[in-house]
Amino acid sequence: CAEVTAGCAGQLSQFLWGVLFDPAYTKGDQRGRDGTEVVDIVVAPNVMTQWREASGKGFAVAEVTQLDLVRGTTCKEEPLTRGRRLFMCSAKVPRAEMKTFLEQCEERVFTTGDQSLAEAMFLGKIPCIKPDAKVQQWQLALLARAMGTLSSVPDLGAELRRLVEEDAARSEARKRSKERSDDLEKQMVAQIGAPPSAWNPTQHVLSRAGMMG
């Protein structure tokens, strides 16, 4: 298991734990207070993929009945609380349907890509789990939400139009891109302790994936 090897829980595991045991995830939720059974469904596209493909239905669903808590060589089985049911649904959400899908989700979500992060933020969701890559973008997005400045984020379409039509805009963009690249390279050199010419293939891959610096 990659999580056992890494010594820490991944995004999905953290999210499942939060749904089950962190009151912040269910703040204001009235479900279960009248004794009725509580059912949660977590939709994730990158789990149970082989099972989903083999089903021929485009989705696969499994019920989570217990959590295996692993520390070192020990493992503790933690059954779900009575009255709680949790299902994992492996399904791809088409980009054209993402907005409608997110509108139906609870406030707390987790995202991995830039576009899904932006859509979640502008729909009032809280991407509550630190991503594996592009952490700085995630931090800036949460800061903008906390400060109430999301409405001041420039419109992408307008910015692209400026780049197409204005020489000054293109020149400024190139300048800022070069400055940003130089700054990131300095951070990565400090983190690795060697210049790019001395990096191994894995370090080059991590740097291009935005997982360093």
Side-chain angles (χ1 to χ4, degrees), residues 57-128:
K57 300 178 181 178
F59 67 90
V61 179
E63 183 172 5
V64 179
T65 59
Q66 69 178 37
L67 302 179
D68 292 340
L69 308 181
V70 179
R71 182 184 295 273
T73 58
T74 63
C75 178
K76 175 185 177 183
E77 297 179 352
E78 185 74 25
L80 267 61
T81 305
R82 182 180 296 276
R84 291 294 301 272
R85 299 188 71 186
L86 177 63
F87 291 87
M88 283 290 308
C89 176
S90 172
K92 292 183 178 180
V93 181
R95 181 56 57 190
E97 300 176 15
M98 183 61 72
K99 181 175 182 291
T100 302
F101 170 74
L102 284 170
E103 287 175 339
Q104 299 176 71
C105 292
E106 301 291 344
E107 183 181 41
R108 290 184 174 244
V109 299
F110 75 93
T111 63
T112 54
D114 292 343
Q115 188 167 345
S116 54
L117 171 62
E119 289 171 333
M121 296 300 296
F122 284 112
L123 285 172
K125 307 302 180 182
I126 301 177
C128 57

Side-chain angles (χ1 to χ4, degrees), residues 40-60:
D40 289 289
I41 302 173
V42 176
V43 179
N46 299 323
V47 297
M48 304 185 297
T49 53
Q50 292 183 338
W51 182 13
R52 182 180 72 212
E53 292 171 1
S55 72
K57 300 178 181 178
F59 67 90

Side-chain angles (χ1 to χ4, degrees), residues 96-197:
E97 300 176 15
M98 183 61 72
K99 181 175 182 291
T100 302
F101 170 74
L102 284 170
E103 287 175 339
Q104 299 176 71
C105 292
E106 301 291 344
E107 183 181 41
R108 290 184 174 244
V109 299
F110 75 93
T111 63
T112 54
D114 292 343
Q115 188 167 345
S116 54
L117 171 62
E119 289 171 333
M121 296 300 296
F122 284 112
L123 285 172
K125 307 302 180 182
I126 301 177
C128 57
I129 307 294
K130 184 175 75 171
D132 297 323
K134 301 184 179 179
V135 176
Q136 187 175 35
Q137 287 90 326
W138 171 76
Q139 293 172 331
L140 290 172
L142 289 182
L143 180 62
R145 186 185 193 278
M147 298 181 66
T149 57
L150 285 177
S151 59
S152 66
V153 175
D155 180 84
L156 179 59
E159 291 299 304
L160 291 175
R161 190 175 299 109
R162 287 183 62 241
L163 289 173
V164 171
E165 298 175 350
E166 302 176 17
D167 289 337
R170 291 193 292 272
S171 177
E172 178 64 21
R174 281 192 292 267
K175 177 184 175 183
R176 287 189 297 180
S177 177
K178 180 66 167 59
E179 292 173 347
R180 179 61 177 156
S181 295
D182 292 343
D183 182 55
L184 284 174
E185 183 174 301
K186 289 178 182 177
Q187 293 181 40
M188 288 186 284
V189 167
Q191 185 174 348
I192 297 174
S197 59

